[in-house]
Amino acid sequence: MNEQGWETSGNDIAALLTRYGELAATLEETEDPRFAATLRLRLAELDDRIDALSSRLHQPEH
């Protein structure tokens, strides 16, 4: 993860899913609308990364 704790390094889908869960839990607990908006953006970014990695892992080998 970087110093803000937003991103993980590499292509570790388990780490990405773990981080997604942590951010989602934080979003549920926050009452700050600006922080919630930032968390939603990070969750969307992570969702895109997880989808991309998952699709690469599930492509048939040629």
Side-chain angles (χ1 to χ4, degrees):
M1 279 182 244
N2 68 8
E3 58 276 359
Q4 291 88 22
W6 294 120
E7 299 179 24
T8 59
S9 60
N11 291 328
D12 184 356
I13 198 161
L16 292 173
L17 290 170
T18 298
R19 189 63 188 141
Y20 189 94
E22 292 168 350
L23 291 176
T26 302
L27 177 60
E28 287 183 11
E29 296 171 357
T30 191
E31 295 181 9
D32 179 352
R34 288 174 40 190
F35 186 53
T38 300
L39 287 170
R40 284 187 194 94
L41 288 173
R42 299 298 181 237
L43 286 166
E45 291 170 2
L46 274 174
D47 189 49
D48 290 343
R49 289 178 64 189
I50 291 166
D51 285 347
L53 181 57
S54 179
S55 67
R56 279 193 308 224
L57 291 174
H58 292 99
Q59 287 180 348
E61 294 185 30
H62 290 41

